Amino acid sequence: MYDIVIIGAGVTGCAIARELSRYNASICLVEKCEDVCCGTSKANSAIVHAGYDAASGSLMAKLNVEGNRLMGSLSEDLDFPFRRNGSLVVCMSEDGLPNLNELYQNGLANGVEQLRIIGKEELRSLEPNISPYAVAALYAPTGGIVCPFGLTIALAENAHINGVEFKFNTEVLRLASNNENVWSIETNHGKIQTKYVVNAAGVYADFIHNMVSAKKIHITPRRGDYCLLDKSTVGFVEKTIFQLPDKYGKGVLVSPTIHGNTIVGPTAIDIQDREGTNTTAEGINDLINKANITVNNLPIRQVITSFAGLRAHEDGHEFVIGEVEDAPRFIDCAGIESPGLSSAPAIGILVSNLLCKKLHLNLNPNFNGKRKSVLDPKTLSKDAYAKLIKENPAYGNIICRCENVTEGEILDAIHRPLGAKSLDGIKRRTRAGMGRCQAGFCSPRTLEILSRELGLPQSEITKCGGASKLIVGTSKDRL
Ligand SMILES: Cc1cc2nc3c(=O)[nH]c(=O)nc-3n(C[C@H](O)[C@H](O)[C@H](O)COP(=O)(O)OP(=O)(O)OC[C@H]3O[C@@H](n4cnc5c(N)ncnc54)[C@H](O)[C@@H]3O)c2cc1C
């Protein structure tokens, strides 16, 4: 029997697991997909919000501001890419100035530091490609950009090396609590028993909650479509450019990504299908039109891919975190929509403190809070790189030409704790396949390496787990 079972290996579940791994407790994280970071955490704007827009006094506001403050030291400890590039909420007419000021006041009340409203001259000097019609902006120097895969995987790996067990391809189907203070979790791979359950199931968190509580909650999947532009657009904008928010959220942004691309999006469309991450032509047209309001000459011909993510929009538009009133020992982490990524470090601490008190946990004396990401030879000096290739020639073998990813990095990604098992797993850990050709060149070669290293036939290697096999047979089979 475990002390704690966490449901969901997104950024929320992994942040909680990592914080709990500071303590002596038996912890298991169950995830229905084949890897960490397969849900909303893999498809979002990747912005570490400053924290000015969540309603003052809300849990969202508190955890956003706290999460933002924690992100710098966390990125150093866990070695994932993060940069405080700053953000601008751009006001396009004099009529919008009261709303901009309201946002500023809200930010001050939330405790956001260095926030200020700037006029059009300063705005233009910061961002030469801003629309000539922009009249002012709210400038938040503490806003940042992060690699969402890097963050989630780093949290998971560090939790794992500190003792958290991960069970993948394991879907929670039902939960029941008996009189002996034990939760029995029925999964597609048998039953698991635990004293406490943490529900971090993203867009499915209401399903899980409603299995155990008479006080139902409801989540709407709110789809956001994006376009990702090639790295040749680097420098088009330096800061994250937002529009004044409306009732659906922060509007369409134009931002650099941490890896030097430009991201444009998202839309906000309420849907029914909790797996509905398809993009639509209407959505893409809509976001391009909206982005063209705030910036000039958006280089939209440089789009290399489009994708969509689903916000877990809870009816009350607030993070639902805490023990469920009529389900003791069951902790919700539901409605974790934006700014969930920014807030994850703070959510991790909040939930682990809560469980630490309940279970009277002692500190784990062997906890190691540091972790190194996949070694990127591009960060080495010429001499150090040459030495590395001499020691391990796999680092001299380029597999992904667009992103310059070597075989050495792919081997590291496969064999490290919670290593990659699929093409997308490799992509999220190394960026192989993320470049301009979108995996056209490197897929067969990555497939070969995965097959060789995992000792599986190529026909068993998937793009992203489940039935997503790339090879259905050999041509000789047809003869
Ligand atoms: C369009 C969009 C833009 C966003 N932009 C930002 C942003 O810029 N900044 C920011 O801070 N936030 C942003 N967010 C929000 C942020 O991405 C989310 O808050 C965060 O990723 C949620 O993480 P999570 O771990 O709660 O959910 P998820 O990442 O979805 O993880 C939940 C996991 O639970 C698993 N699961 C579900 N049901 C079961 C089950 N029955 N059994 C086992 N496992 C199960 C799923 O497979 C999934 O892996 C954005 C979101 C969207 C959609």
Side-chain angles (χ1 to χ4, degrees):
M1 179 158 72
Y2 294 101
D3 290 321
I4 304 155
V5 167
I6 301 165
I7 305 169
V11 72
T12 306
C14 294
I16 295 167
R18 195 261 178 171
E19 280 306 317
L20 281 170
S21 72
R22 292 178 190 275
Y23 301 94
N24 268 331
S26 60
I27 305 161
C28 176
L29 192 152
V30 290
E31 166 56 53
K32 68 176 178 168
C33 295
E34 54 104 27
D35 197 357
V36 300
C37 201
C38 286
T40 304
S41 301
K42 77 168 181 184
N44 48 61
S45 312
I47 308 302
V48 176
H49 295 289
Y52 45 74
D53 55 349
S56 179
S58 66
L59 197 55
M60 257 184 191
K62 183 175 173 290
L63 295 175
N64 183 168
V65 173
E66 230 170 274
N68 177 302
R69 278 194 199 124
L70 291 165
M71 201 62 84
S73 55
L74 194 64
S75 79
E76 278 166 27
D77 286 348
L78 299 183
D79 192 25
F80 61 84
F82 165 64
R83 176 158 63 93
R84 285 195 197 280
N85 65 322
S87 66
L88 293 162
V89 182
V90 180
C91 180
M92 298 305 297
S93 76
E94 303 283 335
D95 297 350
L97 288 173
N99 292 350
L100 197 70
N101 192 44
E102 210 175 289
L103 205 56
Y104 171 61
Q105 296 301 336
N106 198 58
L108 294 184
N110 289 354
V112 180
E113 287 164 10
Q114 302 171 49
L115 206 56
R116 62 193 174 92
I117 290 182
I118 59 173
K120 54 183 164 192
E121 282 75 26
E122 186 173 356
L123 175 57
R124 210 137 293 135
S125 73
L126 288 174
E127 291 294 347
N129 286 316
I130 211 79
S131 159
Y133 303 108
V135 295
L138 178 64
Y139 179 30
T142 56
I145 46 180
V146 70
C147 173
F149 325 116
L151 165 62
T152 309
I153 291 168
L155 290 164
E157 283 183 9
N158 195 236
H160 185 55
I161 61 164
N162 285 303
V164 175
E165 192 181 331
F166 280 71
K167 288 182 192 286
F168 293 110
N169 296 313
T170 305
E171 181 171 5
V172 172
L173 304 172
R174 268 170 288 278
L175 293 115
S177 171
N178 66 15
N179 293 332
E180 278 107 49
N181 293 343
V182 174
W183 280 102
S184 182
I185 306 177
E186 193 182 323
T187 77
N188 55 340
H189 289 306
K191 281 203 171 132
I192 306 173
Q193 294 203 317
T194 180
K195 293 178 190 160
Y196 277 80
V197 177
V198 177
N199 168 21
V203 279
Y204 291 93
D206 56 344
F207 280 13
I208 303 283
H209 168 102
N210 295 342
M211 286 178 193
V212 304
S213 173
K215 293 185 178 165
K216 306 297 179 200
I217 60 170
H218 176 251
I219 284 173
T220 305
R222 183 169 284 174
R223 201 185 71 215
D225 297 13
Y226 290 94
C227 285
L228 189 73
L229 276 52
D230 185 48
K231 282 180 172 176
S232 60
T233 63
V234 68
F236 175 70
V237 289
E238 294 292 344
K239 313 208 174 301
T240 303
I241 313 289
F242 289 103
Q243 303 178 333
L244 264 174
D246 63 13
K247 71 170 180 145
Y248 282 103
K250 303 172 190 83
V252 167
L253 61 80
V254 181
S255 178
T257 72
I258 193 77
H259 296 288
N261 300 79
T262 302
I263 190 166
V264 186
T267 53
I269 304 152
D270 288 349
I271 59 170
Q272 298 294 321
D273 180 4
R274 292 174 195 238
E275 300 293 324
T277 52
N278 56 301
T279 54
T280 64
E282 287 156 272
I284 300 292
N285 284 336
D286 183 37
L287 71 87
I288 293 171
N289 290 336
K290 285 187 176 145
N292 275 322
I293 297 173
T294 40
V295 293
N296 231 359
N297 300 322
L298 181 70
I300 202 67
R301 287 170 67 97
Q302 297 303 321
V303 169
I304 57 172
T305 189
S306 60
F307 64 92
L310 300 179
R311 303 164 182 89
H313 175 70
E314 198 274 324
D315 290 355
H317 184 49
E318 172 62 308
F319 293 162
V320 179
I321 302 179
E323 189 166 13
V324 174
E325 230 175 87
D326 59 345
R329 293 166 290 101
F330 183 98
I331 316 291
D332 262 337
C333 259
I336 311 297
E337 57 182 311
S338 188
L341 198 67
S342 320
S343 310
I347 296 177
I349 293 174
L350 177 73
V351 175
S352 85
N353 283 347
L354 195 155
L355 281 161
C356 187
K357 273 195 204 131
K358 298 241 166 218
L359 281 156
H360 309 289
L361 300 177
N362 296 317
L363 282 173
N364 169 5
N366 300 320
F367 174 75
N368 174 3
K370 305 265 179 195
R371 163 265 182 197
K372 277 295 198 199
S373 75
V374 170
L375 171 67
D376 178 357
K378 292 187 288 301
T379 59
L380 301 177
S381 69
K382 215 174 149 198
D383 287 350
Y385 193 3
K387 189 165 168 270
L388 179 68
I389 293 174
K390 219 169 183 182
E391 283 163 8
N392 185 349
Y395 281 101
N397 185 15
I398 300 282
I399 301 296
C400 167
R401 292 194 295 199
C402 303
E403 294 287 321
N404 273 312
V405 180
T406 64
E407 184 179 358
E409 290 157 87
I410 293 177
L411 294 175
D412 185 355
I414 295 171
H415 294 297
R416 62 184 21 246
L418 303 180
K421 299 173 284 277
S422 65
L423 255 64
D424 281 2
I426 297 284
K427 181 160 87 169
R428 287 191 289 270
R429 286 166 180 81
T430 67
R431 294 190 55 77
M434 289 268 189
R436 192 173 177 99
C437 91
Q438 286 289 296
F441 177 77
C442 61
S443 286
R445 307 184 72 196
T446 309
L447 189 83
E448 271 172 32
I449 299 170
L450 272 165
S451 155
R452 185 186 75 210
E453 297 299 315
L454 299 177
L456 291 170
Q458 289 191 14
S459 54
E460 289 302 311
I461 304 297
T462 64
K463 182 178 183 301
C464 50
S468 65
K469 292 182 180 165
L470 292 119
I471 292 183
V472 291
T474 63
S475 45
K476 283 195 179 145
D477 291 342
R478 294 178 180 267
L479 296 174

